[in-house]
Amino acid sequence: MSIATREWQLVRRPHGEPVDDDFALVTLERPDPQPGEVVVRTIAMSVDPYMRGRMSAVKSYAASWELGETMQGGAIGQVVSSRSDDVPEGALVLHGAGWRDVAVLPAAHVSVVQPLPGLPLSLYLGVLGMPGLTAWAGLFRLASFQSGDTVFVSGAAGAVGSLVGQFARLRGASRVVGSAGTPEKVAWLRSIGFDAAFDYHDGPVAELLAGVAPDGIDVFFDNVGGEHLEAAITAFRTFGRAALCGSISNYNAVSAPPGPRNLGLVVGKQLSLRGFIVSSHSDLRPEFVPAVSGWLREGSLVVRETVVEGLDSAVDAFRALLSGGNTGKMVVRLAPDPS
């Protein structure tokens, strides 16, 4: 016997912005689970900016997806069949085989999680998952945040940026400012505790940043790169620290973007600019999960999701993510949360 699944595959490497012909939604027959394996029905899957790099053949920190193979990513689901004593049928699990409605996996490749009373399971893909840990590691370890710092976050209305700003506020930042791509996102950032925010379409980023942080910044958390990084270097006070998480402004570029033109300031200001990959900081999870869970229970942390319905819409959701079509975490929901 076998199990029919619907899965998204990469069939052509995108040139610039991904288009429909780069992907195919296929129906496959997967074998029944063998001893030690489980069958997981996907409840929700994640689309994330780093996936754009995996569509390229260029060597990077994450291995390229092979053409004609099913793409992968974070997902949460429910075990509907189990041949493992460690993961029973009915368990809710996290795994890395997203982009499909059903996954057959070794039980060792899934992590059992508990339901969140009154909250969607998809939070395990966002604030309690990779984006949340990214925000935590970048702010507190890489940028060495200290109470009293002035913090600037680029791409601040996204899954990571919106958490960085709130983490900084909850830990005593003197001022938190952010950039976003629409007036609605700017208003939302102010509503969740950012002291100020600006729409980067409204003018040169350096001028907009100077308007909301006239005395300079101590910490920069960068999700965007390009003009934002150049502006932050100008705005830094002496001994400023940057956590460089992503450069989404360049992900669909077909030629090399220009680098910051003011790198000479790094020496005189004695700045620290540190790139990072969240997988290198999983040791922070034991401190991250209790702290963030507590803030969620208290209601002091605001979490927002942009939810797209159905596996058929997953590629559209990914493309929308790259063009700023999300506020908070972008999630593709395949099935209702089990009651």
Side-chain angles (χ1 to χ4, degrees):
M1 296 182 64
S2 59
I3 299 166
T5 72
R6 299 172 71 232
E7 308 182 4
W8 278 105
Q9 295 186 344
L10 184 70
V11 296
R12 188 177 69 180
R13 300 207 182 276
H15 181 73
E17 183 177 350
V19 299
D20 286 347
D21 289 344
D22 298 329
F23 309 93
L25 182 58
V26 301
T27 299
L28 300 177
E29 297 292 326
R30 296 290 187 184
D32 284 343
Q34 300 301 304
E37 293 185 331
V38 294
V39 180
V40 183
R41 176 178 57 84
T42 304
I43 295 168
M45 56 165 275
S46 177
V47 291
D48 300 285
Y50 80 89
M51 293 176 176
R52 179 62 183 85
R54 301 198 71 179
M55 296 175 186
S56 169
V58 177
K59 187 176 180 180
S60 183
Y61 66 89
S64 298
W65 286 327
E66 296 297 329
L67 296 181
E69 293 189 0
T70 301
M71 299 185 293
Q72 298 177 340
I76 189 162
Q78 188 166 34
V79 175
V80 295
S81 179
S82 175
R83 298 195 64 188
S84 166
D85 293 335
D86 297 324
V87 183
E89 188 172 315
L92 299 169
V93 297
L94 282 169
H95 63 82
W99 293 93
R100 69 197 80 195
D101 58 1
V102 178
V104 182
L105 298 165
H109 292 183
V110 306
S111 299
V112 177
V113 298
Q114 299 304 314
L116 302 164
L119 297 172
L121 288 168
S122 51
L123 294 189
Y124 280 113
L125 303 176
V127 61
L128 293 175
M130 180 268 289
L133 184 59
T134 300
W136 185 275
L139 182 65
F140 296 122
R141 174 173 283 174
L142 279 300
S144 302
F145 170 83
Q146 300 294 321
S147 178
D149 281 343
T150 294
V151 178
F152 170 44
V153 186
S154 66
V160 174
S162 60
L163 297 176
V164 172
Q166 293 184 84
F167 291 173
R169 175 178 56 80
L170 289 163
R171 285 290 176 89
S174 62
R175 188 166 180 80
V176 178
V177 302
S179 70
T182 68
E184 293 77 15
K185 290 181 179 181
V186 167
W188 180 66
L189 290 174
R190 291 171 177 154
S191 77
I192 64 172
F194 279 68
D195 295 287
F198 60 84
D199 183 340
Y200 62 82
H201 296 105
D202 288 344
V205 174
E207 295 179 10
L208 296 168
L209 177 57
V212 297
D215 297 324
I217 62 173
D218 302 293
V219 167
F220 176 43
F221 193 106
D222 191 17
N223 296 297
V224 176
E227 187 183 359
H228 281 76
L229 177 56
E230 184 173 290
I233 290 172
T234 295
F236 265 130
R237 298 167 178 157
T238 304
F239 302 117
R241 294 93 64 201
L244 307 181
C245 175
S247 186
I248 197 169
S249 65
N250 303 325
Y251 286 171
N252 286 328
V254 296
S255 59
R261 297 165 295 179
N262 57 351
L263 286 176
L265 296 175
V266 173
V267 176
K269 293 187 176 187
Q270 302 178 72
L271 307 179
S272 298
L273 313 180
R274 299 183 64 188
F276 74 105
I277 305 300
V278 67
S279 58
S280 298
H281 303 279
S282 56
D283 62 299
L284 293 176
R285 185 168 290 279
E287 70 178 52
F288 152 72
V289 172
V292 173
S293 298
W295 287 334
L296 284 171
R297 287 193 298 269
E298 295 168 3
S300 56
L301 183 64
V302 178
V303 177
R304 187 165 170 180
E305 296 179 312
T306 299
V307 179
V308 175
E309 298 289 346
L311 182 64
D312 297 65
S313 302
V315 167
D316 289 339
F318 172 71
R319 288 191 299 223
L321 174 75
L322 293 181
S323 61
N326 62 300
T327 300
K329 181 74 184 81
M330 179 73 88
V331 172
V332 181
R333 184 164 55 201
L334 278 65
D337 279 15
S339 54

